[in-house]
Amino acid sequence: MKILVINSGSSSIKFQLIEMPAETVIASGLVERIGLEDGAIHYKDQKDKISLTLPIPNHAIGLAKVAEMLMDRTTGVIKDVSEIDLVGHRVVHGGKKFSDPVEVTQEIKDKIRDLILLAPLHNPPNLDGIEVAEKIFTKSKQIALFDTAFHQTLPAVAYKYAIANKFLTEDNVRVYGFHGLSHKYVTDRAVEFLDKPDAKLVSIHLGNGCSMTAVQNGKSFDHTLGFGPNDGLIMGTRSGAIDQSVIFFLMDKYNYNKQEIINILSKESGMLGLTGYSDLRDIEAQAELGNTDCILALEMNAYRVKKFIGAYTAALNGLDAIIFTAGIGENSSTIRKMICDQMDYFGIHLDQELNAERLPNIRSINTADSKTKILIVPTNEELEIATECYENFK
Amino acid sequence: MKILVINSGSSSIKFQLIEMPAETVIASGLVERIGLEDGAIHYKDQKDKISLTLPIPNHAIGLAKVAEMLMDRTTGVIKDVSEIDLVGHRVVHGGKKFSDPVEVTQEIKDKIRDLILLAPLHNPPNLDGIEVAEKIFTKSKQIALFDTAFHQTLPAVAYKYAIANKFLTEDNVRVYGFHGLSHKYVTDRAVEFLDKPDAKLVSIHLGNGCSMTAVQNGKSFDHTLGFGPNDGLIMGTRSGAIDQSVIFFLMDKYNYNKQEIINILSKESGMLGLTGYSDLRDIEAQAELGNTDCILALEMNAYRVKKFIGAYTAALNGLDAIIFTAGIGENSSTIRKMICDQMDYFGIHLDQELNAERLPNIRSINTADSKTKILIVPTNEELEIATECYENFK
Ligand SMILES: Nc1ncnc2c1ncn2[C@@H]1O[C@H](COP(=O)(O)OP(=O)(O)O)[C@@H](O)[C@H]1O
Ligand SMILES: Nc1ncnc2c1ncn2[C@@H]1O[C@H](COP(=O)(O)OP(=O)(O)O)[C@@H](O)[C@H]1O
């Protein structure tokens, strides 16, 4: 069964065509800079690697181009779009309506549209991707999978804010969480790896966006991102958690309006605000050269992760393993070392040599006598989508 | 040596006259509803207890009345104000300028005035109290003690926010912390009680305002309140930590302006927003009767405390004792039980019988085999002020 996975953003479409249950990636790629003069399509399969530069006015044209490349007589991988059984769409916000993948109907699209209020930047292009795909892949079932779904198991103590109840009951203000497909994927892999279905896990997703999830019995129990995508950990350009009085003080002092302060906190803060760089590779390189801002920013970043490991260990009353994933988590031995340093009270003992190795597969990097396991699990949201599509709609 | 301790708020003045080093409270009391028609003064010494109702137009008249009562020929305790050697003033915000008590000079008053920007509700009446006392207790040294001082030892990883550095360097935006006199007092007592100067402690101050402090070697290492007084734990009417996107969403949806949202989060949220009650005694009583909002609010409250115990254990890489203090911490066996429940991973084992006892003194309430000690330490900010005055200016 062939499943096309689509992640449609405001100016890009990522795609993977996956054969299930074999989990083989038949083709993958990216349409980028949609709407700009210098649009591009990158396409890759087991033999070809193609990049085209051309203006791509909208998502419809972008996705039509993807279909064309998949069916190309010389470089393509399928003869007809009807060979694609399922199209799995990543949708960022499913509110409290969706805790499982669903087949797209008019009603489902209306619900995704209703949730634009909660995810104004993400749900519109996600919906665009669905509507465009419906017209191109007319024979395929369209499936929607939600980044919030995994966190629907959060207990009330974790999802509720300490504000008037009416803001929850009338306005749906609560923790929804994000990166759910990634946290689900890596914690499921960890459970298999540890062979312990009831493992108490803390999943640490460190990419451009960063979040942590407490998981037990395969279920999300608590999570650092909340109603929106800027809470908890320090991110590339996002502040993460910040005292509300700072927001009000800066609005007062600089006369910032709401949108200006949102931009400052989400685009000019985090590692960028602290160091002038948002890419962790640059920050690590500068820290090596003795840049004290960069050294401190790395320490602040690691310190927050440490504190959430402690917090979630308390929430779960135990800790079997911590899991590092995503761009930074999988690749930065420096950050992993800083996080695991001085954590022996939690039974966390990093093996420095294993930590320094660069390998593409799931592995443990703790010492043999470490009570708590330390895992690196490469995330794969596309495979998670394909798997959930396959399991629910095969 | 006689030390008069003054805590001057916007509409009240609390005072205690303490003999040092004996630590004897010679007299104490409260002037309340200053500026209103129905002002009142409550005065107490070892033999008398007096309450007067009378309009008290301003702090100067209120404090003059206190001096008068202290010197009253039949019910008073001193003959002349000159018997008072030191007047210790609690000042909420000392910024990053003050980490020790200081004798008040014009320069010090100017600095306290400069800090009004950071504590607009507190520093003005604190300064009022100082200026009024200077005129009445002309022979006494005036000493200022800052609620932020104890937290000046916070390391940069704990006091810095992940926003552009200029907001720290130019605008002094950082964690200052509060309840410092209380956290210092109870952690010093705990160190004596445990006879362990390098004890790793988590101090849990639960009153109308709530905060927690991580302490090692008698120094504050991390703290839940930040730049302002509404972060971290859930409080009587304050939300504590909340995702910034909730603030922006509510401002959008209801067209709230900045002051309205500040009021909602600090006066209509927390336990009040969740249950309709702000006093924990009412909430516990309702929970007993089966009120599900009250039951959940207590659980949310305890859950946040648990998570900070975990976070600070990670920050300190260990935990010798947790300390309960202030109105709720000292009196609510229910909240203490909920917090300590299911925390055996942290070596926390509560003795249910010891927890249920109501006693006025410092004591441990853990089981004999509990690795982590659980202490109740009645706080005494006035005595902390008198002690610091005595030690620094005797
Ligand atoms: N070798 C590396 N060392 C340190 N950081 C890395 C390395 N490779 C990638 N990163 C970091 O990973 C981040 C991107 O993570 P990724 O998971 O791809 O992001 P996204 O959240 O957009 O999916 C980059 O900002 C970069 O800082
Ligand atoms: N016996 C009790 N049981 C539960 N809560 C109590 C009890 N006594 C006092 N409290 C709580 O303590 C709170 C006041 O704490 P306190 O430390 O005096 O406040 P503040 O922060 O104003 O100094 C009250 O709101 C009340 O909820």
Side-chain angles (χ1 to χ4, degrees):
Chain A
M1 167 178 258
K2 289 188 176 53
I3 301 176
L4 180 65
V5 176
I6 291 181
N7 186 350
S8 172
S10 60
S11 65
S12 71
I13 303 171
K14 286 191 214 155
F15 66 92
Q16 279 195 16
L17 183 64
I18 301 178
E19 180 66 46
M20 290 298 289
E23 302 189 357
T24 318
V25 178
I26 304 169
S28 65
L30 168 69
V31 185
E32 57 179 352
R33 291 195 290 282
I34 296 172
L36 300 176
E37 276 302 299
D38 57 342
I41 302 187
H42 310 283
Y43 170 94
K44 200 174 119 180
D45 62 28
Q46 273 141 23
K47 41 186 192 23
D48 310 294
K49 203 169 164 184
I50 303 168
S51 283
L52 305 177
T53 315
L54 74 172
I56 299 161
N58 55 43
H59 285 68
I61 293 174
L63 199 58
K65 200 79 200 153
V66 169
E68 218 174 84
M69 293 181 85
L70 289 172
M71 294 185 295
D72 186 278
R73 265 202 267 166
T74 45
T75 57
V77 289
I78 52 173
K79 292 226 171 65
D80 191 88
V81 286
S82 65
E83 288 177 45
I84 295 170
D85 302 282
L86 302 172
V87 183
H89 298 269
R90 176 173 183 242
V91 179
V92 162
H93 219 304
K96 40 181 198 177
K97 298 196 170 72
F98 300 110
S99 46
D100 289 298
V102 287
E103 185 174 349
V104 174
T105 59
Q106 188 54 48
E107 195 197 335
I108 296 293
K109 286 191 283 181
D110 290 344
K111 285 186 179 165
I112 295 172
R113 193 169 290 113
D114 289 345
L115 290 164
I116 288 177
L117 192 65
L118 300 184
L121 299 179
H122 294 102
N123 274 24
N126 298 161
L127 197 57
D128 249 21
I130 292 174
E131 296 194 318
V132 162
E134 285 179 322
K135 292 194 187 113
I136 298 172
F137 307 100
T138 49
K139 299 279 164 57
S140 325
K141 267 191 200 163
Q142 309 292 327
I143 314 296
L145 301 98
F146 302 88
D147 224 14
T148 49
F150 183 50
H151 303 299
Q152 282 298 303
T153 52
L154 253 54
V157 288
Y159 76 65
K160 211 172 163 181
Y161 293 113
I163 50 179
N165 283 328
K166 66 168 186 222
F167 295 129
L168 172 62
T169 51
E170 292 169 24
D171 304 315
N172 298 311
V173 171
R174 48 161 288 174
V175 171
Y176 291 103
F178 298 95
H179 297 144
L181 293 158
S182 174
H183 286 294
K184 174 153 175 41
Y185 180 81
V186 301
T187 52
D188 281 356
R189 295 296 79 70
V191 161
E192 288 165 11
F193 187 85
L194 300 169
D195 193 17
K196 194 169 194 304
D198 64 348
K200 295 179 177 182
L201 303 171
V202 174
S203 170
I204 308 167
H205 176 110
L206 304 176
N208 284 317
C210 300
S211 69
M212 290 170 63
T213 305
V215 171
Q216 187 173 16
N217 296 318
K219 296 204 168 96
S220 177
F221 189 87
D222 206 340
H223 177 67
T224 58
L225 289 171
F227 181 67
N230 192 5
D231 202 357
L233 302 179
I234 301 174
M235 299 174 240
T237 64
R238 286 177 251 170
S239 63
I242 191 161
D243 184 340
Q244 55 186 261
S245 67
V246 172
I247 296 172
F248 303 127
F249 178 84
L250 294 179
M251 287 175 92
D252 249 356
K253 174 138 190 190
Y254 291 100
N255 229 347
Y256 293 135
N257 64 30
K258 196 167 53 62
Q259 197 51 52
E260 287 168 326
I261 193 85
I262 290 176
N263 286 347
I264 288 172
L265 294 175
S266 58
K267 297 184 180 158
E268 302 169 17
S269 293
M271 299 306 271
L272 180 66
L274 293 169
T275 68
Y277 306 92
S278 67
D279 192 304
L280 202 83
R281 284 163 290 205
D282 297 329
I283 297 167
E284 288 186 0
Q286 291 298 317
E288 283 282 328
L289 298 173
N291 178 321
T292 51
D293 281 347
C294 289
I295 293 169
L296 178 57
L298 291 171
E299 284 171 354
M300 287 171 64
N301 198 313
Y303 184 64
R304 278 213 203 163
V305 176
K306 268 174 188 281
K307 286 203 280 185
F308 278 110
I309 292 174
Y312 289 166
T313 301
L316 300 172
N317 192 26
L319 183 64
D320 291 303
I322 61 173
I323 301 162
F324 288 102
T325 195
I328 296 170
E330 293 167 32
N331 295 303
S332 171
S333 56
T334 306
I335 280 283
R336 290 192 303 254
K337 183 170 183 302
M338 292 174 87
I339 291 168
C340 294
D341 190 43
Q342 298 283 318
M343 287 289 273
D344 44 87
Y345 188 89
F346 291 83
I348 292 175
H349 298 273
L350 187 71
D351 182 308
Q352 306 293 350
E353 280 178 33
L354 294 176
N355 182 44
E357 273 175 14
R358 294 182 64 92
L359 295 166
N361 55 307
I362 182 169
R363 62 205 185 274
S364 66
I365 56 171
N366 50 271
T367 60
D369 63 347
S370 182
K371 194 179 69 170
T372 299
K373 306 296 172 237
I374 310 170
L375 306 183
I376 299 178
V377 184
T379 194
N380 193 336
E381 290 165 273
E382 293 76 17
L383 181 55
E384 179 63 29
I385 290 174
T387 304
E388 292 189 21
C389 281
Y390 180 74
E391 282 174 359
N392 288 278
F393 300 95
K394 67 184 166 218
Chain B
M1 165 178 261
K2 289 188 175 52
I3 301 177
L4 179 65
V5 175
I6 290 181
N7 186 349
S8 171
S10 59
S11 66
S12 71
I13 303 172
K14 285 190 215 155
F15 66 93
Q16 279 196 15
L17 183 63
I18 302 178
E19 178 69 46
M20 291 298 289
E23 302 188 358
T24 319
V25 179
I26 304 168
S28 65
L30 166 69
V31 186
E32 58 180 353
R33 292 195 289 281
I34 295 172
L36 301 178
E37 276 302 299
D38 57 342
I41 303 188
H42 309 283
Y43 170 93
K44 198 176 121 179
D45 62 30
Q46 272 140 22
K47 41 186 192 22
D48 310 294
K49 203 168 165 182
I50 304 168
S51 284
L52 306 176
T53 314
L54 73 174
I56 298 161
N58 55 42
H59 285 69
I61 293 174
L63 199 58
K65 199 82 198 150
V66 169
E68 218 174 83
M69 292 182 86
L70 289 171
M71 293 184 297
D72 187 276
R73 267 204 263 166
T74 45
T75 58
V77 289
I78 54 172
K79 292 228 173 63
D80 190 89
V81 286
S82 64
E83 287 175 46
I84 294 171
D85 302 282
L86 302 172
V87 182
H89 298 269
R90 176 172 183 242
V91 180
V92 163
H93 218 305
K96 41 180 200 178
K97 298 193 171 74
F98 300 110
S99 47
D100 289 298
V102 287
E103 186 172 350
V104 174
T105 60
Q106 188 55 48
E107 194 197 336
I108 297 293
K109 285 190 284 181
D110 291 343
K111 286 187 179 163
I112 295 173
R113 193 168 291 112
D114 290 344
L115 290 164
I116 287 176
L117 192 64
L118 301 185
L121 298 181
H122 293 102
N123 274 24
N126 297 160
L127 197 58
D128 248 22
I130 292 174
E131 297 194 318
V132 162
E134 286 179 323
K135 292 193 187 115
I136 299 172
F137 307 101
T138 50
K139 298 281 165 54
S140 325
K141 268 193 200 164
Q142 308 293 327
I143 314 295
L145 301 98
F146 301 89
D147 225 14
T148 49
F150 183 49
H151 304 299
Q152 281 298 302
T153 52
L154 252 55
V157 288
Y159 75 65
K160 212 172 162 181
Y161 293 112
I163 50 179
N165 283 328
K166 66 167 187 222
F167 295 129
L168 172 62
T169 52
E170 292 169 24
D171 303 314
N172 298 310
V173 171
R174 48 162 286 174
V175 171
Y176 290 103
F178 297 96
H179 297 144
L181 293 158
S182 174
H183 287 293
K184 175 155 174 41
Y185 180 80
V186 300
T187 52
D188 281 356
R189 292 300 78 70
V191 161
E192 289 165 10
F193 187 85
L194 300 169
D195 194 17
K196 194 167 193 304
D198 63 348
K200 296 179 177 181
L201 303 171
V202 174
S203 171
I204 308 168
H205 177 111
L206 304 177
N208 284 315
C210 299
S211 69
M212 289 171 63
T213 306
V215 170
Q216 187 173 16
N217 296 318
K219 295 203 168 96
S220 176
F221 189 87
D222 206 340
H223 177 66
T224 58
L225 289 171
F227 182 67
N230 192 5
D231 202 358
L233 302 179
I234 300 174
M235 300 175 239
T237 64
R238 286 176 249 170
S239 63
I242 191 160
D243 184 339
Q244 54 188 262
S245 67
V246 172
I247 296 172
F248 302 128
F249 177 84
L250 294 180
M251 288 175 92
D252 249 355
K253 173 137 190 187
Y254 291 100
N255 227 350
Y256 293 136
N257 65 29
K258 193 167 53 60
Q259 197 51 53
E260 286 167 330
I261 192 86
I262 290 175
N263 287 348
I264 287 171
L265 294 175
S266 59
K267 296 184 181 157
E268 301 168 18
S269 293
M271 299 305 271
L272 180 65
L274 293 170
T275 68
Y277 306 92
S278 67
D279 192 304
L280 202 82
R281 284 163 291 203
D282 297 330
I283 297 167
E284 289 186 0
Q286 291 299 317
E288 283 282 327
L289 299 174
N291 178 321
T292 51
D293 281 347
C294 289
I295 293 168
L296 178 57
L298 291 172
E299 284 170 355
M300 288 172 65
N301 197 314
Y303 184 64
R304 279 215 200 162
V305 176
K306 269 174 188 281
K307 286 203 279 185
F308 278 110
I309 292 173
Y312 289 166
T313 301
L316 300 172
N317 192 25
L319 183 64
D320 291 304
I322 61 173
I323 302 162
F324 288 102
T325 194
I328 296 170
E330 293 167 32
N331 295 304
S332 171
S333 56
T334 307
I335 279 284
R336 290 192 304 254
K337 183 171 182 305
M338 292 174 86
I339 291 168
C340 294
D341 190 42
Q342 298 284 318
M343 287 288 273
D344 44 87
Y345 188 90
F346 291 83
I348 292 174
H349 297 274
L350 187 71
D351 183 308
Q352 306 293 351
E353 279 178 34
L354 294 176
N355 182 45
E357 273 174 14
R358 295 184 63 93
L359 295 165
N361 55 306
I362 182 168
R363 63 203 184 275
S364 65
I365 55 171
N366 49 272
T367 60
D369 63 347
S370 181
K371 195 178 71 172
T372 299
K373 305 295 173 239
I374 309 169
L375 306 182
I376 298 178
V377 185
T379 194
N380 193 335
E381 291 166 274
E382 293 76 16
L383 182 55
E384 178 63 30
I385 290 174
T387 305
E388 291 189 21
C389 281
Y390 179 75
E391 282 173 0
N392 287 277
F393 300 95
K394 68 186 165 215

